[in-house]
Amino acid sequence: MAANQQQPKTREEYKRLKLEKERLAEQARLEEKKLAEQARLEQKLLAKQATMESKQPTIDSTLASSLKSNKQFIQAKFNSKIEPKEAKQGSKAEQLDTTKRIKIRLVPIWLRIVILVCLIVISTTAGALVGYGPLGGGKATDVLKESTWTHIVELVEKNTK
């Protein structure tokens, strides 16, 4: 161990140190992600500037200032999206101001429910076929006949009376 770090004496200290280490790792990962994204955006901006310069040999001052403002806009937008967890725990007004990402679902919720109901019906039917056929000693296709179910209902009602 390093000279400035002390050996934890209790479980609480160990847990606290572990949480602190995880928090620092999270901050480092976010910072690394932020720097990589900024580098990518700057590279994209430089490529945009290079293509504009190749099309037009002289760029006037208004275009150059708009490119600078575009770069500032991209950096401001990026900084508002990636924040540490501690910064996200602000007031409701601050949370409403931040940019929210819209989640597009590949399968809509109503279709998920229909698929779930179909899977439940299929699994119940398969369970009845296996239970009545190989496990129960009867023919598996007999479970699909109405007479089998009326007989089962009669047996259940007979025992309850």
Side-chain angles (χ1 to χ4, degrees):
M1 291 237 144
N4 61 353
Q5 290 183 344
Q6 296 178 355
Q7 186 75 356
K9 295 178 182 173
T10 64
R11 284 187 176 173
E12 291 79 25
E13 286 181 34
Y14 177 75
K15 287 179 183 178
R16 184 184 54 80
L17 289 174
K18 186 177 179 182
L19 288 174
E20 181 69 21
K21 185 177 179 182
E22 289 174 0
R23 187 183 63 80
L24 290 173
E26 177 73 19
Q27 284 179 348
R29 192 170 12 120
L30 285 174
E31 189 65 31
E32 187 176 299
K33 194 177 193 182
K34 183 178 176 180
L35 289 174
E37 184 67 19
Q38 280 181 342
R40 187 187 66 78
L41 290 174
E42 286 176 2
Q43 197 173 35
K44 190 176 180 180
L45 186 63
L46 287 174
K48 184 178 178 181
Q49 287 176 347
T51 57
M52 291 182 78
E53 286 175 1
S54 66
K55 290 180 183 177
Q56 203 175 38
T58 57
I59 297 178
D60 61 341
S61 61
T62 57
L63 186 57
S65 65
S66 69
L67 286 175
K68 288 180 184 176
S69 65
N70 190 16
K71 183 178 179 181
Q72 291 170 349
F73 171 74
I74 290 172
Q75 286 179 345
K77 186 175 179 183
F78 175 75
N79 289 336
S80 68
K81 282 185 182 177
I82 297 179
E83 299 172 349
K85 291 180 182 177
E86 295 85 20
K88 287 186 179 179
Q89 297 174 351
S91 67
K92 293 280 184 184
E94 290 173 359
Q95 288 179 356
L96 293 176
D97 291 341
T98 59
T99 307
K100 290 188 178 182
R101 295 185 182 181
I102 298 172
K103 191 172 189 178
I104 299 173
R105 299 183 193 278
L106 295 176
V107 181
I109 293 176
W110 65 269
L111 186 58
R112 291 179 188 190
I113 293 172
V114 169
I115 291 172
L116 179 69
V117 169
C118 289
L119 288 175
I120 289 172
V121 168
I122 290 171
S123 63
T124 303
T125 305
L129 288 170
V130 170
Y132 193 78
L135 296 178
K139 285 180 73 179
T141 55
D142 286 346
V143 80
L144 301 175
K145 294 180 182 175
E146 184 181 351
S147 61
T148 305
W149 290 102
T150 54
H151 180 67
I152 291 172
V153 169
E154 288 172 1
L155 287 174
V156 170
E157 287 178 355
K158 181 180 174 185
N159 290 336
T160 57
K161 290 181 181 179

